Amino acid sequence: MPILRVALDLPLPRLFDYAAAEASPSDVGRRIAVPFGRRTLVGVIIEIAAESALAPERLRPAGPILDDMPALPAEWLAVARFASEYYQRPLGEVIHAALPTRLRRPLPLRLPPAAYALTDAGRAAVLPARAKAKRAALDLLGDGPQPASALPPAALRALVRDGLAAPAEAARPAPRFVEEHALTPAQVAAVSAITTAPAGYQAYLLAGVTGSGKTEVYLHCIARALASERQALVLVPEINLTPQMRDEFARRFPGARVVTLTSAVAANERAEAWLAAQSGAAQIVLGTRLAVFAPLPALGLVVVDEEQDASFKQQDGVRYSARDLAVYRAHAAGVPVVLGSATPSLESWTHARSGRYRLLELKARARPGSRLPDVRLVDSRVDPPVEGLSATLAEALAARLARHEQSLVFLNRRGYAPVLACGGCGWIGGCTRCAAHLVLHTADRRLRCHHCGLEAAIPRHCPVCGNVDLAPFGRGTQRIEETLAARFPAARVLRIDSDSTRAKGRWEAMRGAVHRGDADILVGTQILAKGHDFPRVTLVGVLNADAALAAADYRAPERLFAQLYQVAGRAGRAAAPGEVLVQTRYPDHPLYQALVRHEFAPFAEALAAERRQAGFPPFVHEAVLRADSARLGDALGFLGRALAAAPARRDELSVFDPVPMSLARLAGRERAQLLVQSHSRRALQGFLAEWSQALYAMRTGEVRWHLDVDPIEF
Ligand code: ADP
Ligand code: ZN
Ligand code: ZN
């Protein structure tokens, strides 16, 4: 009787054996339903063995092998295994996190087949029936009939079953590429460096200023991959950027099948997109970090746009870096990977400097006549802001209004005010579950914790002394919105932050309004900074950036620079010249000076020198063990025992003492961590592998723990 070795979504670093009546090597990579305790779980078959270490009476029979989709290919399992080993998480957890939710259930996948039919020419078209299924199908097929091969295999099988299609397939026409611009010389150089390189893996860092036309470089490289019948994987940092990118791909590659994988895509669609990637029917797979796990049998190119963005790092569960896994996948598949950014991460920058990555630079804007904006620093000591706005910025806003141009006011803090306080006794509204203040939201009259989501009504009087004069301190986007509306009554002010865009469809509607010119002043957070092309914006005002200068995190300056550079890049993207006004008390600060000169490289070099000297990444490799508990003592106690259980051999390693985290209390849990550093990635990995075995074997009581490899937040 064959033994199936199955990966299950359980916090145990091993596989689970089940007995099967029959199984063949082709079942490796298939999903299977198996009993576990009194539950039925879905697992993936990793190995078929002749015998098990389990006693025969403890070996349970496996449930059915799910043959609703082809087995996950060996390359895909290798990626999952790499992520499992590198990030120190059980393989089953990694696989589970990577699969779309529809495939995480111990049931065969059922997709809405009635949405498809085959035309006389043998091409798949969309039936007018069932609006929802039709929308999903349209999304897959585009507007016109497509070859039957463009269908997900499950849908095609369902059609055959329902007698709507015969299992014969028409040949698929090759997708075309619509050339749109004559490339600039810098773009030509970048494209040809990538497309004429010898076949095989190579990482490129495409460092291009905002508006330099990095997308056009991606498109040309993708065209090359598609022409040789390969697939392209494109990762973007923001869900909100996918519709715009997707439209661009659809327009520029007629006949190509583009699928989107993000958490906003409905479950069935996501399963179909996944299957289309796995069958090779989808030529372009576009998505956020989770798309890095798409199965891609014919992978020919990987693109990571805004590669420095922190959102590529998953912050819970399997804490992977999609950027790093993207590079790994390109390496494993022997194909090029293009990392694009105006402000590369110091990690990638350092690789480019050392020659590990090839540096390709685009130093000027691509559109004829478009220049980088003029960045000016407004000294808050000389021109003190009133209700957040300096006189200089207020005048500049008035001038844009008079000229019917758009302005953008950037403040990376949502809500009305970050603190509600009592002037009588000094009481401050705090979260009962976190070491944090509650943020005042006046739009819906609530106090809200931005860390755990706790909500409370706004008190009428101070809960300590009864004083009714409770006052908001500091300002967020809602307050600036109010100020702007009062200062410029004729202006149409549009606030764009995660509060105002939460409801489905809101972001799309707002983007449309901005593009049509139905808004004069945009007020927003970092949502507005990333990648968007708002051609009507000619002025960007930056408020309260100094707050981030004071942060203790050594990555804060790198992030602040990237953010300000990005948001500054929103100004003047079309012909009208752009202006950026940054209100600051420290106009001489090197970060602001670099921003004024649009100089990333010298700034990066200076930061890198500091990091090297201080022994911070990318010059050392790091991992942290974090623990949380109802009591801080328990979390610290666990870390102490974990330290005692760590491997004794610690050559090339520094293991630090347990300390409380900087946000020590979150959602009612006290949090602490322990840092491990090494100059050798290999030494660190060896240590972690051994240590995590010991950790999984420890008794933890109610303490929860996890390892975070290459952490970016502390
Ligand atoms: P980036 O991603 O580098 O910030 P984009 O790719 O968004 O820049 O390009 C900025 C603008 O320049 C887009 O509107 C794009 O259509 C335009 N563009 C790109 N390449 C060219 C070119 N070679 N000639 C003219 N316009 C171009
Ligand atoms: Zn009080
Ligand atoms: Zn909270």
Side-chain angles (χ1 to χ4, degrees), residues 431-438 448-454 665-668:
C431 179
T432 51
R433 294 153 47 83
C434 304
H437 301 315
L438 290 174
R448 205 168 271 140
C449 175
H450 284 192
H451 297 281
C452 75
L454 180 105
R665 200 169 134 78
L666 176 70

Side-chain angles (χ1 to χ4, degrees), residues 114-395:
Y116 307 97
L118 292 196
T119 63
D120 292 343
R123 306 182 121 218
V126 176
L127 281 183
R130 306 233 313 254
K132 211 170 155 195
K134 186 183 167 194
R135 216 176 321 117
L138 272 174
D139 223 47
L140 274 167
L141 294 176
D143 316 315
Q146 298 278 327
S149 58
L151 284 181
L156 188 60
R157 274 202 304 279
L159 282 179
V160 173
R161 187 192 59 209
D162 297 347
L164 290 166
E169 289 194 3
R172 183 215 318 255
R176 288 188 302 120
F177 177 46
V178 178
E179 305 243 2
E180 204 164 76
H181 307 283
L183 294 183
T184 64
Q187 285 171 323
V188 170
V191 170
S192 74
I194 298 165
T195 56
T196 63
Y201 163 80
Q202 173 64 51
Y204 299 90
L205 178 61
L206 180 63
V209 300
T210 48
S212 60
K214 293 186 286 293
T215 312
E216 206 57 39
V217 173
Y218 305 150
L219 287 165
H220 276 78
C221 297
I222 294 169
R224 184 54 82 91
L226 265 50
S228 44
E229 302 191 349
R230 309 296 290 267
Q231 297 171 292
L233 170 67
V234 182
L235 301 183
V236 294
E238 259 265 0
I239 281 187
N240 288 333
L241 288 170
T242 55
Q244 153 186 347
M245 195 71 120
R246 190 199 160 98
D247 293 351
E248 181 77 357
F249 288 162
R251 204 165 56 77
R252 303 293 293 278
F253 296 108
R257 182 128 163 240
V258 183
V259 297
T260 308
L261 283 170
T262 73
S263 58
V265 175
N268 274 350
E269 272 176 72
R270 224 167 110 186
E272 299 200 35
W274 173 277
L275 292 174
Q278 185 174 346
S279 72
Q283 287 110 338
I284 302 178
V285 175
L286 166 67
T288 48
R289 61 174 177 263
L290 58 87
V292 79
F293 286 110
L296 296 154
L299 184 61
L301 173 73
V302 181
V303 173
V304 184
D305 192 26
E306 305 294 351
E307 64 86 26
Q308 85 293 345
D309 201 281
S311 75
F312 287 122
K313 182 78 159 70
Q314 170 81 20
Q315 297 289 10
D316 54 27
V318 182
R319 290 167 164 77
Y320 62 92
S321 156
R323 193 254 333 266
D324 295 349
L325 282 183
V327 174
Y328 171 82
R329 287 200 73 170
H331 188 268
V335 302
V337 51
V338 182
L339 307 174
S341 179
T343 52
S345 63
L346 276 192
E347 281 77 8
S348 300
W349 181 255
T350 309
H351 287 324
R353 299 291 293 173
S354 74
R356 237 173 105 165
Y357 294 177
R358 266 192 78 177
L359 180 63
L360 306 170
E361 290 183 282
L362 307 177
K363 293 185 170 167
R365 287 198 160 173
R367 251 183 228 159
S370 169
R371 297 187 289 119
L372 285 168
D374 291 325
V375 179
R376 285 170 50 204
L377 303 172
V378 180
D379 190 336
S380 306
R381 295 163 306 182
V382 180
D383 182 355
V386 177
E387 274 296 314
L389 301 179
S390 61
T392 311
L393 179 55
E395 278 162 32

Side-chain angles (χ1 to χ4, degrees), residues 606-619:
L607 274 190
E610 273 175 39
R611 295 255 197 106
R612 189 193 296 274
Q613 208 183 12
F616 286 136
F619 303 99

Side-chain angles (χ1 to χ4, degrees), residues 2 4 12 16 51 511 593 623:
L4 304 182
L12 298 166
F16 297 83
E51 51 195 297
R511 188 162 77 95
Q593 289 297 324

